[in-house]
């Protein structure tokens, strides 16, 4: 994952959310109209990448979720305790403004989300994402995510594998 010269911070109500344009209108509309309510109600946390001049260049959201053990690939599920579900963190949305695409920002936002999930004191087995289409799913697969066998647009990355990457040596 490449990094980019952006500052990634929790969304602040004072930021201008009206000009953000990622090419997917539902993701623009969510940032414009819905995200403040979701963060206020604590159903999602939103983090934004700020370019120079406090312009929002990208954003993502995180929330708690769970994955049914039976939905995971058998090879993953067999290594986990026999609970009905395992805890996870869901990245509900991820988007980069068209003006900033292809410069490593999507990867940097993903790395930031993984870092926050790993750092949390609340245990989570994986970061889970819902890709909006096959192109988005390919982006996540490129970064090591695995699809659920019966829902190929839902992908997960075990956080233990991120911790291994972060360990020196
Ligand atoms: C998907 C999206 C977030 C990628 O952001 P980006 O800033 O353009 O991507 P990056 O420049 O960080 O790319 C990082 C890496 O992913 C790769 N990549 C980017 N899009 C990819 C795709 N669709 N499939 C496979 N790989 C992809 C890049 O080649 C790059 O590889 P490298 O690190 O080996 O050089 C962005 O295109 C976007 O906002 N799309 C519209 C909304 C969307 O689809 N969101 C996804 C969640 S539903």
């Amino acid at each position: 994952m490449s990094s980019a010269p952006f500052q990634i911070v929790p969304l602040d109500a004072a930021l201008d959310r009206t000009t953000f344009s990622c090419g997917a209108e539902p993701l623009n509309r969510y940032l414009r109209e819905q995200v403040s309510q979701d963060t206020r109600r604590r159903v999602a946390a939103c983090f934004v990448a700020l370019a120079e001049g406090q312009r929002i260049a990208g954003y993502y959201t995180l929330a708690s979720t769970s994955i049914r053990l039976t939905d995971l690939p058998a090879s993953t599920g067999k290594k986990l305790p026999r609970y009905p579900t395992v805890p996870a963190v869901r990245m509900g949305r991820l988007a980069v403004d068209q003006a900033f695409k292809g410069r490593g920002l999507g990867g940097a936002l993903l790395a930031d989300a993984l870092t926050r999930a790993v750092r949390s004191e609340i245990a989570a087995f994986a970061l889970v994402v819902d890709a909006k289409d096959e192109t988005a799913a390919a982006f996540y697969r490129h970064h090591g995510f695995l699809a659920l066998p019966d829902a190929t647009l839902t992908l997960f990355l075990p956080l233990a594998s991120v911790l291994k990457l972060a360990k020196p040596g």
Side-chain angles (χ1 to χ4, degrees):
M1 274 175 220
S2 41
S3 63
F6 299 94
Q7 195 195 357
I8 304 175
V9 294
L11 175 67
D12 183 314
L15 291 166
D16 180 9
R17 291 175 278 121
T18 59
T19 57
F20 183 80
S21 175
C22 70
E25 188 44 32
L27 289 168
N28 299 340
R29 198 180 321 119
Y30 178 79
L31 185 67
R32 228 174 30 234
E33 298 173 11
Q34 180 77 38
V35 71
S36 303
Q37 204 173 58
D38 281 3
T39 53
R40 214 168 34 244
R41 291 176 174 161
R42 297 191 60 85
V43 295
C46 180
F47 300 90
V48 293
L50 297 179
E52 250 176 79
Q54 301 288 289
R55 175 172 172 188
I56 297 180
Y59 80 91
Y60 70 84
T61 62
L62 291 183
S64 299
T65 188
S66 60
I67 316 175
R68 278 197 304 235
L69 209 59
T70 50
D71 288 344
L72 286 165
S75 56
T76 306
K78 75 176 184 212
K79 294 180 200 144
L80 292 166
R82 305 278 97 204
Y83 301 137
T85 62
V86 285
V89 175
R90 180 176 298 275
M91 192 167 68
R93 291 172 174 84
L94 166 70
V96 169
D97 190 289
Q98 275 168 325
F100 298 95
K101 275 187 189 167
R103 290 164 52 175
L105 182 54
L109 286 167
L110 191 51
D112 191 76
L114 287 163
T115 304
R116 287 180 202 276
V118 163
R119 271 204 214 126
S120 172
E121 290 181 3
I122 316 290
F125 164 67
L127 185 74
V128 181
V129 295
D130 289 309
K132 69 177 179 51
D133 53 29
E134 178 47 37
T135 307
F139 171 79
Y140 292 117
R141 286 197 301 270
H142 177 83
H143 289 96
F145 281 71
L146 302 169
L148 297 185
D150 295 328
T152 52
L153 291 183
T154 302
L155 300 98
F156 72 99
L157 186 67
L159 293 176
S161 64
V162 178
L163 276 170
K164 262 187 218 152
L165 284 176
K167 272 195 189 140

